[in-house]
Amino acid sequence: MIVAVASGKGGTGKTTVAASLAWVWDRPVTVVDLDVEEPNLHLFLKPDIVGRETAVMEVPVADESKCTYCRACADLCQFKAISVLGSVLLTFPEMCHGCGGCLAVCPEKALSPGTRELGEVSWGTASGRIGFFMGRLRVGEAMSPPLMRAVIAKLGQNREAAARDVIIDAPPGTSCPAINAVLPSNLILLVTEPTPFGFHDLKLAHAAFAPLGKPMAVVINRAGLGDRSVQDFCRSQQMAVLAEIPFDRSLAEAYSRGRVLADALPNMHNVFAQLMTALRGVAKTSRQGEVAAHA
Ligand code: SF4
Ligand code: SF4
């Protein structure tokens, strides 16, 4: 089972939910922080990091002495990461998406593979039992999906960690990084809050993720604020609200101290244990639906 914890906007408590869910998970579990621009799951889970490596992607390096300025590479590149101006060949590694197309079409073998640093992948164990992987984007690096794929690839190389249930802490929003983060999952858990902003961004997240065809469910954080627009929307879209986390001072204090809510507060342990059970129910119902559809 792979659960992606996502949200239409930042600050809804997505990482808080991911950390507590991992804390109460009663089967072997690995958490993956794919919010690589601002990873902060480690601040709650405080993992022992046992390995780190620099992630890179392939970009072209030009040997202009071989170039005939035929423009084949520049015409192919959809990202304007390589240009030919008269008898000058320019490469822009920061704009390169690493497709390798320019290397393949160059008739003079004037381009060879080089690398651009994406950031760091690290891994370890939290609380002696929770597998932990995270990515941290290099300052100045504009593209996060290649580093996210490197984190997932690293997880895949660790057979023990990959064989476990996986909880992904996805980046907030509905753009390319958020879509990339939920793609490996078989269930998306949307965290929202009952405010006009939370409701607005929940609708955006639902619209962005629904075409992926994955089951979705919702956690309402800071429940008790606002009105019931979020619940009404979830009902209209047949998305189950699996947990409501109250707007409560004791939770805010635990959060401000970097505590995992399910560890700091016994009543929250129960809330997240019930959420875990409910998630398995959603996953099971979805699997049964798929089997029935293919029967
Ligand atoms: S590898 Fe792809 S994206 Fe990068 S410069 Fe070449 S064609 Fe453009
Ligand atoms: S395809 Fe090769 S030879 Fe042609 S302009 Fe690009 S680098 Fe130069």
Side-chain angles (χ1 to χ4, degrees):
M1 179 176 182
I2 304 176
V3 181
V5 184
S7 64
K9 77 178 188 72
T12 56
K14 170 183 59 63
T15 300
T16 307
V17 168
S20 280
L21 204 49
W23 194 265
V24 302
W25 208 259
D26 61 1
R27 296 199 299 234
V29 66
T30 296
V31 291
V32 185
D33 193 346
L34 288 185
D35 191 358
V36 299
E37 290 186 40
E38 294 181 69
N40 55 15
L41 191 55
H42 63 290
L43 299 177
F44 294 99
L45 292 176
K46 303 173 181 62
D48 295 321
I49 297 297
V50 298
R52 301 174 191 275
E53 69 181 31
T54 300
V56 298
M57 69 182 287
E58 201 170 88
V59 297
V61 173
D63 178 353
E64 222 171 322
S65 67
K66 296 180 181 173
C67 181
T68 58
Y69 308 104
C70 70
R71 296 192 52 85
C73 55
D75 290 344
L76 178 94
C77 184
Q78 299 299 301
F79 303 102
K80 308 296 179 205
I82 190 162
S83 292
V84 178
L85 301 173
S87 58
V88 177
L89 177 67
L90 296 170
T91 59
F92 303 96
E94 296 297 329
M95 294 163 66
C96 175
H97 285 230
C99 70
C102 53
L103 282 79
V105 300
C106 177
E108 310 297 336
K109 305 290 181 228
L111 299 172
S112 59
T115 57
R116 178 175 101 224
E117 184 181 330
L118 298 169
E120 183 185 79
V121 180
S122 56
W123 57 93
T125 306
S127 192
R129 61 189 171 84
I130 303 169
F132 183 91
F133 285 74
M134 70 177 268
R136 185 187 294 279
L137 202 66
R138 174 178 62 83
V139 173
E141 170 59 44
M143 285 180 233
S144 52
L147 178 60
M148 294 160 68
R149 287 192 285 274
V151 176
I152 293 294
K154 196 69 201 174
L155 168 64
Q157 290 167 13
N158 185 322
R159 293 175 70 175
E160 188 197 337
R164 300 170 166 206
D165 288 337
V166 173
I167 297 171
I168 294 171
D169 186 9
T174 56
S175 59
C176 193
I179 298 289
N180 258 270
V182 304
L183 278 181
S185 72
N186 36 43
L187 198 162
I188 301 171
L189 182 62
L190 296 173
V191 182
T192 188
E193 56 187 22
T195 62
F197 311 106
F199 179 42
H200 175 262
D201 291 322
L202 174 67
K203 287 189 288 186
L204 291 180
H206 176 266
F209 299 144
L212 301 176
K214 299 175 188 290
M216 287 191 278
V218 172
V219 168
I220 300 176
N221 193 19
R222 303 185 188 98
L225 293 173
D227 57 22
R228 295 194 59 82
S229 300
V230 166
Q231 284 94 335
D232 293 344
F233 174 73
C234 291
R235 198 176 309 111
S236 72
Q237 300 300 325
Q238 295 169 339
M239 283 195 299
V241 176
L242 301 185
E244 298 196 17
I245 301 168
F247 183 55
D248 185 280
R249 184 184 175 95
S250 63
L251 274 66
E253 287 177 355
Y255 176 85
S256 69
R257 292 196 302 272
R259 298 285 308 277
V260 176
L261 295 186
D263 179 37
L265 302 160
N267 61 326
M268 282 295 104
H269 191 285
N270 293 340
V271 167
F272 283 101
Q274 288 167 11
L275 173 60
M276 173 191 68
T277 303
L279 281 169
R280 288 178 184 156
V282 172
K284 186 176 175 186
T285 304
S286 170
R287 279 196 302 274
Q288 288 170 342
E290 285 174 20
V291 171
H294 289 93

